Amino acid sequence: MPRPPLLPTSPAFWRSPVRGPWFTSVLGIVLLGGITVLFLTGLLSYAAYNPDLAPVNDQTPDKGLLGLYLFSWPTHPSWLYRLTQGVHVTLGITLVPVLLAKLWSVVPKLFTLPPARSLAHALERISLLLLVGGALFEFTTGVLNIQLDYLFPGSFYPLHFYGAWVFIAAFVAHAVLKTPAALRNVRRMRAENGTPAAAGASELPSEQDELVSPNPAEPTVSRRGAVGLVGGGSLLLFVTTAGHSFDAPLRQTAVLAPHGGSEPGSGPGGFQINKTAAYAGIDARETDEDAWRLVVVGRTGTVRLSRADLVRLPLHSSALPIACVEGWSTSDQWWRGVPLRDLAALVGYEHGTAPDVLVESLQRHGAFRRGALRHNQVRDPRSLLALFVNGEDLTPDHGYPARVIVPAAPGVLNTKWVARMTFGEL
């Protein structure tokens, strides 16, 4: 009689000799540290948008207590967002092989029967399901956003926001339940002459039933070798991604990042951009010097300024980068234009009292065709309505006739093709 096919609920179905508490524990400890950093830098990215400043900066519905916001995002140092978001994105990409290996190592636990042996086991299983689902959702949406492939329904911002809270809640619950066992597994392995097989053999029967195959296949790689393979994959992703947060020549190594490789074009405007003027629907007739006017609204009324009027105002220069939520950034570019606090002064606010500002673009569509800036950003002397970059007029793709540039602000808040600025408490 032929043997009936084994089902995934049978421990003998899973035959890899690599699976075991030691291998799973090593990966879990790496993820414990890595995901903690990812969550903290993600919270910093959320803070960088100054989400309670105006609804335009955070359109997440019904966020309630989840939308905690503790401080206004600072403007010093100017590379702050470049650092925090570069770490967030690069680390997330680097951890993908670790995450996939971790999920592979524990997949038998998803099929064990009975589903719950006790209340603690039931809680562990629920946290595991939420953890697996949340991890796949967060990493998938994050990678798609980095690659500018918006295949998911709705806006990335609220999807990633809510997914992060579901994931981190499950992660914390799972870490509380499993970290002590993971540390014991690693310590036991060291105590037993560094032999992974011995470490696996010394585990409790319940852990053996779920992770160690009762009928393992012939090994093709050791557990140490498997860890090395995962680490090599992470290193490869790091090398081919991290450069998008650096200047040339490191940027050229970021072959897997949309904003890696060589700079687009040459000359004063030959540095990275996100959306082109054509993509944003900018009509050249609207940006013509004879047609375009900047509308500035404030306490004493409304002022309309042509580009020639702006050029006649006292101009200042700032060396500032652009850093975007996708993790890429530019080196410092030399921007020249009118300080935002000087524009506020034109409509009734002295330098020390400049308030928040709502900036609106000629852009016809997109979540950030309007963006709000906090008063500390407006008052920073390096914050400009830029008219020139690197000694030349802005190019259309870099925001001609005028764009905002603010130290340490996310790229989407450095609004391009500015049409209107409304100063006041938002």
Side-chain angles (χ1 to χ4, degrees), residues 217-412:
E218 287 296 318
T220 57
V221 64
S222 68
R223 289 178 185 166
R224 289 183 184 276
V227 169
L229 183 64
V230 173
S234 290
L235 180 61
L236 180 62
L237 287 178
F238 175 82
V239 169
T240 54
T241 302
H244 71 166
S245 299
F246 293 90
D247 305 335
L250 286 178
R251 182 181 296 279
Q252 309 222 9
T253 66
V255 295
L256 295 184
H259 291 89
S262 58
E263 298 288 3
S266 59
F271 57 96
Q272 300 292 327
I273 58 171
N274 198 344
K275 293 179 173 62
T276 65
Y279 178 90
I282 302 302
D283 189 331
R285 291 171 296 183
E286 294 179 285
T287 60
D288 182 85
E289 280 211 39
D290 293 331
W292 180 83
R293 294 294 183 271
L294 173 69
V295 179
V296 184
V297 181
R299 184 163 54 195
T300 58
T302 300
V303 175
R304 288 177 172 81
L305 301 165
S306 67
R307 198 170 190 278
D309 294 330
L310 290 168
V311 170
R312 283 193 289 269
L313 294 174
L315 302 182
H316 294 257
S317 296
S318 299
L320 298 173
I322 296 174
C324 280
V325 70
E326 296 94 354
W328 67 268
S329 57
T330 72
S331 57
D332 284 355
Q333 309 296 323
W334 277 99
W335 307 90
R336 188 162 177 79
V338 183
L340 298 186
R341 62 184 188 177
D342 288 0
L343 292 172
L346 293 178
V347 288
Y349 301 97
E350 296 300 325
H351 283 182
T353 64
D356 310 329
V357 65
L358 176 65
V359 185
E360 299 177 75
S361 173
L362 291 172
Q363 182 177 337
R364 292 289 188 273
H365 52 81
F368 284 94
R369 62 166 300 273
R370 303 193 304 160
L373 298 170
R374 180 68 77 186
H375 59 77
N376 67 306
Q377 295 171 313
V378 175
R379 295 172 189 175
D380 191 301
R382 298 168 297 169
S383 297
L384 304 176
L385 180 72
L387 307 171
F388 308 93
V389 63
N390 298 324
E392 299 288 343
D393 286 348
L394 295 169
T395 64
D397 288 343
H398 283 301
Y400 182 87
R403 68 167 297 161
V404 165
I405 186 72
V406 173
V412 290

Side-chain angles (χ1 to χ4, degrees), residues 62-148:
D62 303 320
K63 59 186 178 180
L65 293 176
L66 296 181
L68 60 93
Y69 178 69
L70 301 177
F71 60 92
S72 297
W73 187 249
T75 56
H76 294 272
S78 62
W79 42 261
L80 179 60
Y81 191 72
R82 188 183 187 190
L83 172 65
T84 60
Q85 194 61 13
V87 169
H88 182 79
V89 169
T90 303
L91 180 59
I93 293 292
T94 302
L95 286 178
V96 166
V98 183
L99 174 69
L100 294 178
K102 170 71 172 179
L103 295 180
W104 173 85
S105 73
V106 300
V107 70
K109 298 184 70 172
L110 299 177
F111 295 93
T112 55
L113 296 175
R117 294 190 294 266
S118 65
L119 178 60
H121 186 249
L123 291 175
E124 180 190 338
R125 294 294 296 277
I126 293 171
S127 73
L128 183 61
L129 289 173
L130 292 174
L131 186 66
V132 171
L136 291 175
F137 181 83
E138 284 297 283
F139 276 80
T140 300
T141 55
V143 170
L144 288 174
N145 183 62
I146 294 163
Q147 296 296 326
L148 310 179

Side-chain angles (χ1 to χ4, degrees), residues 181-238:
L183 294 174
R184 284 197 304 270
N185 291 337
V186 174
R187 283 198 299 266
R188 189 172 296 138
M189 182 274 296
R190 290 177 178 172
E192 296 177 358
N193 299 320
T195 305
S202 61
E203 291 305 312
L204 297 175
S206 62
E207 293 180 341
Q208 285 235 1
D209 290 343
E210 293 176 343
L211 293 176
V212 179
S213 174
N215 183 30
E218 287 296 318
T220 57
V221 64
S222 68
R223 289 178 185 166
R224 289 183 184 276
V227 169
L229 183 64
V230 173
S234 290
L235 180 61
L236 180 62
L237 287 178
F238 175 82

